[in-house]
Amino acid sequence: MRRRSLLIAVPAGMATLAACNDDGASSAESGDSASPSASATSGAPAPKIVDGPLPAITAGAKFGEKPTVAKGSGDPSSQLAVKTVIAGNGRTAAEGDFLVANYLGQIWDTAKVFDNSFDRGSALAIQLAQASVIDGWRYALTGKKVGSRVEFAVPPTWGYGKEGYAEGGIKGTDTLVFVVDMKGVYPVTSSAKGTNVAQDDADLPKVGTNTDGKAPSIEIPKKDAPTKLASSYVIEGDGEKVAADSGLLVQYKGVLWDSGKEFDSTYARKTLTSFSLDGVVKGWKQGLTGKKVGSRVLIVIPPALGYGDNPPSGSGIEKDSTLVFTVDILAKL
């Protein structure tokens, strides 16, 4: 089971994608430890961005390599120390965007690593927004470009506050040092990018091909729902293929076959969603495995591969419903 980042909380909307454990609990974004509220320090005044001090990166100096960072020397700044170690030339991150990144975090005084994505083998997808991530990340990384490695030191005011985070071994007086490799930036209006694919199966729904950030239409045929899983490209991207255990960042919309009624949508929530295919319903795992990043995929999920006779409470999904999704695969984590 992947350990969830200390930085984030479970994204909204995952209840209607998550597979259930034997006890009925959601398994999407599950982890070995609970995540603290990122809003604990929200509302603090913006920090002053200063050049240092920052500890040296003593090994793993290249982008994508796990860094080794020295212990802090002397007292850290009371403000936010930020340094672009490697300057990228990709998209500039704006507040509210989703960032896909690898990172390492350690404590200034001890150099104890309390969290890192490099060892997990899966990047983090996080929104640079208040209450979505600790404020130090939001202030340090907004305005930085994809392809950059950024090192920064976060005092408690813009980290976990005076309370700290005991489960992560972080005290209320600890300044935190992060090294972040920015792999991708995705506005909440992100869409698939690729080549439209003919939708010529009259027995399957037709999905809109707009890529303007608005929800694509889904037209359900006046026919019986298929009894087997259907998964096909609407737009075919040219990115790497999704593995059965991949983490993904997506945009999606789900409707019921019988009524066409929408029951879940990232477009409606004006957000994106990330998850591991190990933690979603079987129809999503099977329907997205092998598909390319950048694609829009139609998935029609029969009850046996969806929620069967046990749909999520309050989801608007009836028992034994066939589900229809359009999914834009934005990034592989």
Side-chain angles (χ1 to χ4, degrees):
M1 179 181 292
R2 285 193 179 95
R3 181 180 179 276
R4 199 172 72 208
S5 165
L6 297 179
L7 300 173
I8 56 174
V10 176
M14 287 305 295
T16 54
L17 293 181
C20 289
N21 299 319
D22 292 338
D23 60 2
S26 166
S27 62
E29 291 291 331
S30 61
D32 297 334
S33 61
S35 174
S37 171
S39 61
T41 60
S42 295
K48 180 181 179 181
I49 306 298
V50 296
D51 293 334
L54 286 165
I57 297 173
T58 59
K62 295 180 181 179
F63 186 95
E65 292 182 341
K66 178 184 175 182
T68 300
V69 183
K71 186 172 73 170
S73 177
D75 293 330
S77 174
S78 62
Q79 298 297 315
L80 187 63
V82 182
K83 178 182 180 182
T84 300
V85 180
I86 299 171
N89 58 6
R91 187 183 191 116
T92 301
E95 183 155 357
D97 286 350
F98 277 74
L99 170 68
V100 173
N102 276 313
Y103 69 97
L104 178 140
Q106 68 183 45
I107 295 171
W108 175 280
D109 287 336
T110 64
K112 178 184 176 182
V113 175
F114 59 83
D115 198 9
N116 89 90
S117 66
F118 295 93
D119 289 347
R120 289 195 292 272
S122 181
L124 171 73
I126 189 73
Q127 189 175 22
L128 297 176
Q130 193 174 50
S132 293
V133 66
I134 58 173
D135 284 344
W137 271 57
R138 183 164 62 94
Y139 288 119
L141 297 174
T142 296
K144 302 299 185 184
K145 293 185 176 182
V146 171
S148 296
R149 166 169 283 192
V150 183
E151 183 183 12
F152 52 101
V154 182
T157 301
W158 298 282
Y160 295 103
K162 295 179 180 178
E163 297 78 13
Y165 180 50
E167 290 184 46
I170 298 169
K171 302 191 298 293
T173 55
D174 283 335
T175 288
L176 311 177
V177 179
F178 290 97
V179 177
V180 177
D181 287 355
M182 301 175 63
K183 298 181 65 178
V185 166
Y186 302 87
V188 295
T189 55
S190 295
S191 293
K193 294 180 180 179
T195 304
N196 293 353
V197 176
Q199 302 179 66
D200 49 13
D201 189 336
D203 294 329
L204 293 179
K206 300 294 186 291
V207 177
T209 57
N210 59 294
T211 57
D212 56 0
K214 297 179 180 178
S217 59
I218 302 177
E219 298 178 11
I220 309 291
K222 297 185 183 304
K223 298 186 178 185
D224 292 338
T227 57
K228 295 183 179 180
L229 178 74
S231 175
S232 58
Y233 285 119
V234 176
I235 298 172
E236 184 173 357
D238 60 2
E240 63 179 311
K241 290 186 177 181
V242 172
D245 62 350
S246 290
L248 299 177
L249 178 68
V250 306
Q251 186 94 266
Y252 74 92
K253 170 182 166 181
V255 303
L256 302 174
W257 179 285
D258 288 343
S259 65
K261 181 181 178 182
E262 181 180 301
F263 60 84
D264 196 9
S265 170
T266 55
Y267 301 94
R269 295 196 304 274
K270 295 180 172 33
T271 189
L272 306 176
T273 289
S274 63
F275 54 85
S276 168
L277 285 183
D278 283 336
V280 293
V281 294
K282 292 179 180 178
W284 268 65
K285 183 180 179 75
Q286 295 178 19
L288 293 178
T289 297
K291 295 297 191 287
K292 298 175 184 176
V293 173
S295 299
R296 175 169 297 164
V297 181
L298 165 70
I299 312 176
V300 181
I301 303 178
L305 297 178
Y307 297 105
D309 61 359
N310 187 32
S313 176
S315 65
I317 301 172
E318 300 292 334
K319 292 182 179 180
D320 298 319
S321 291
T322 295
L323 311 177
V324 181
F325 288 96
T326 173
V327 183
D328 283 15
I329 308 171
L330 304 176
K332 181 179 174 183
L333 306 181

